[in-house]
Amino acid sequence: MSKTENPTAAMLAIGDELLSGRTKDKNIAHLAETLTLAGIDLKEVRIVGDEQSAIVEAVNALRTRYTYVFTSGGIGGTHDDITADSISAAFSLQCIQNQTAMALLAAHYERRGVEFTESRKRMARTPESAELIVNPVSVAPGFKVENVHVMAGVPQIFEAMLDKIMPTLKGGQPVISETIHCPYGEGDIGEPLAAIQKAHPDVSIGSYPRFSSDGFYTQLVVRGREEGDIAAAAADIHQMLEKLAKTKA
Amino acid sequence: MSKTENPTAAMLAIGDELLSGRTKDKNIAHLAETLTLAGIDLKEVRIVGDEQSAIVEAVNALRTRYTYVFTSGGIGGTHDDITADSISAAFSLQCIQNQTAMALLAAHYERRGVEFTESRKRMARTPESAELIVNPVSVAPGFKVENVHVMAGVPQIFEAMLDKIMPTLKGGQPVISETIHCPYGEGDIGEPLAAIQKAHPDVSIGSYPRFSSDGFYTQLVVRGREEGDIAAAAADIHQMLEKLAKTKA
């Protein structure tokens, strides 16, 4: 499907609560949609718990393989927030109290008349040489080291930080798509659909079985980078469905 | 937190649609909850696209490391369903037309008076020597090779297949938990909470910042295997909150 290669990305969601089922992740789908619109291909997602060795291993596997890495979670001020330490370890950097972050947080708490506790100071920790990512919701910043963008797990903050990052990324040609409702199950369309895919190598045709009380139906999605390619494949699919409707009638 | 080691697990969700944001995964959270109740520790989740090399690499990384692996997606009958081929490749097994699966599907389609097309026959493909996983929703089975359980991506079918698998797994001691609402942000509780965690090494205390229109609050979750351990840590947390309430008043 690719004519020129788009930048690639991976996500690492961090948190025991995601693996125990307590918290349902909302950030993966949001990141996936945002990157798709920007022409950046999300290729892999991993979820690991609050365990430094697991985070280090995943970050190092992903950052060497993809253009961008995005992480969520573990940058708060309590004992179970170990993302800053883990990212530092992954890059063999010292984990320091970032002075810009300290100043931002000190001013924020002073304005609100709130004590700047040790826990709150923990939120200013980053790997040395990290760049900060602005947090317009609650001040405590995310940070960036090379191609790794470290963000909060709270969805409102994750989304706000991502908004700040997106304009700094090099995007590609956005993937556009057309969804076609198919009232038949995959068993009825598999062969003609495979032939259509073969005839249209510049698009990627996905087939997604859905289940309702009336039985199975299928969503067909044609993805590509050029309107014309998509329209041509979609026309063939509509023709296939008309032909099938006659056989079924 | 572990007194005896629980069995471990990983999940691999397969599908381009999960990485493009078109489909929001529902199976990860369901698996996480189910395994937690059974005392099996879900340690890692990966999501990859419909690409054989990515699936093979992930399955081989996960199956050697964890007691159980569960996959979702890619076992339908269309050209983009490549999970059976990929799992076969991961185990260096031939991908065959499983005769038991063929018989099940043939009987099913005959009863319904539906043609048993080549696409439908694709759904009977498994690695040689695989055991089938019963699909009570739509017949086309999942399969198991060694410790890898291959299931459908459609949530109703994934859940039904998992119900069939669970009694065959060796569980551990279930993790139990108590959730305590904390009306303060993490900055107020970080230090005393870290001290409580240190004093109760047999439980794991998680702190989850939440954001509402009134500002931040925190959910504190005490997890462990023994009621007594959890009650003792929870009592200390309640005492901490009462003390904090007095300082704030």
Side-chain angles (χ1 to χ4, degrees), chain B residues 45-68:
Chain B
V45 175
R46 297 192 190 184
I47 308 175
V48 298
D50 301 314
E51 209 174 296
Q52 179 160 321
S53 60
I55 299 170
V56 168
E57 192 195 321
V59 166
N60 282 338
L62 299 173
R63 73 187 176 92
T64 51
R65 188 173 295 187
Y66 303 108
T67 318
Y68 303 114

Side-chain angles (χ1 to χ4, degrees), chain A residues 22 45 47 117 119 187 190 219, chain B residues 22 45 47 117 119 187 190 205 219:
Chain A
R22 260 200 88 257
V45 176
I47 308 176
T117 58
S119 288
Q219 277 192 331
Chain B
R22 259 200 87 254
V45 175
I47 308 175
T117 57
S119 287
I205 304 174
Q219 277 193 330

Side-chain angles (χ1 to χ4, degrees), chain A residues 218-231:
Chain A
T218 310
Q219 277 192 331
L220 300 176
V221 181
V222 185
R223 291 188 196 87
R225 303 241 171 83
E226 304 290 346
E227 300 273 5
D229 295 342
I230 292 176

Side-chain angles (χ1 to χ4, degrees), chain B residues 25-188:
Chain B
D25 167 86
K26 290 176 183 165
N27 298 324
I28 296 172
H30 178 77
L31 180 71
E33 282 171 25
T34 306
L35 294 180
T36 298
L37 289 173
I40 297 170
D41 295 344
L42 181 62
K43 303 292 276 183
E44 184 171 350
V45 175
R46 297 192 190 184
I47 308 175
V48 298
D50 301 314
E51 209 174 296
Q52 179 160 321
S53 60
I55 299 170
V56 168
E57 192 195 321
V59 166
N60 282 338
L62 299 173
R63 73 187 176 92
T64 51
R65 188 173 295 187
Y66 303 108
T67 318
Y68 303 114
V69 176
F70 303 89
T71 79
S72 68
I75 62 168
T78 51
H79 62 274
D80 57 342
D81 290 303
I82 60 165
T83 298
D85 309 83
S86 304
I87 301 289
S88 302
F91 282 95
S92 301
L93 292 170
Q94 269 211 293
C95 191
I96 58 156
Q97 211 125 32
N98 183 296
Q99 288 312 305
T100 313
M102 281 293 279
L104 281 169
L105 287 165
H108 171 67
Y109 291 118
E110 197 179 337
R111 270 195 307 276
R112 294 173 57 207
V114 168
E115 191 191 342
F116 193 20
T117 57
E118 282 306 314
S119 287
R120 296 196 168 100
K121 287 178 187 162
R122 263 182 76 82
M123 295 192 285
R125 293 162 72 251
T126 71
E128 52 182 338
S129 80
E131 287 170 50
L132 299 185
I133 296 171
V134 172
N135 171 355
V137 178
S138 56
V139 181
F143 58 84
K144 177 186 140 155
V145 183
E146 295 182 14
N147 61 338
V148 178
H149 300 76
V150 175
M151 294 180 279
V154 177
Q156 293 94 328
I157 305 177
F158 180 88
E159 291 169 22
M161 287 181 171
L162 188 61
D163 280 349
K164 296 286 177 188
I165 294 171
M166 287 310 294
T168 72
L169 305 180
K170 192 179 142 25
Q173 207 178 344
V175 173
I176 48 181
S177 66
E178 182 171 337
T179 301
I180 299 166
H181 174 79
C182 164
Y184 313 112
E186 287 196 318
D188 283 319

Side-chain angles (χ1 to χ4, degrees), chain B residues 11-29:
Chain B
M11 171 160 182
L12 176 65
I14 299 164
D16 285 349
E17 71 279 18
L18 302 171
L19 295 174
S20 72
R22 259 200 87 254
T23 301
K24 290 186 187 21
D25 167 86
K26 290 176 183 165
N27 298 324
I28 296 172

Side-chain angles (χ1 to χ4, degrees), chain A residues 14-121:
Chain A
I14 298 164
D16 286 348
E17 71 279 18
L18 302 170
L19 295 174
S20 73
R22 260 200 88 257
T23 300
K24 291 187 186 19
D25 167 86
K26 291 178 182 163
N27 298 323
I28 296 171
H30 178 78
L31 180 71
E33 282 170 26
T34 306
L35 294 180
T36 298
L37 289 173
I40 297 170
D41 295 344
L42 181 61
K43 303 292 277 182
E44 183 171 350
V45 176
R46 297 193 190 185
I47 308 176
V48 298
D50 302 314
E51 209 174 298
Q52 179 160 322
S53 60
I55 299 169
V56 168
E57 192 196 321
V59 166
N60 282 337
L62 299 173
R63 72 188 176 91
T64 50
R65 188 173 294 186
Y66 303 107
T67 319
Y68 302 115
V69 176
F70 304 90
T71 80
S72 68
I75 63 168
T78 53
H79 62 276
D80 57 340
D81 290 303
I82 59 165
T83 298
D85 308 84
S86 304
I87 301 290
S88 302
F91 281 96
S92 301
L93 292 171
Q94 269 210 295
C95 190
I96 59 155
Q97 210 124 34
N98 184 296
Q99 289 312 304
T100 314
M102 282 293 279
L104 281 169
L105 287 165
H108 171 66
Y109 291 117
E110 196 179 336
R111 270 197 305 277
R112 293 172 57 207
V114 167
E115 192 190 341
F116 193 20
T117 58
E118 282 307 313
S119 288
R120 295 197 168 100
K121 287 177 188 163

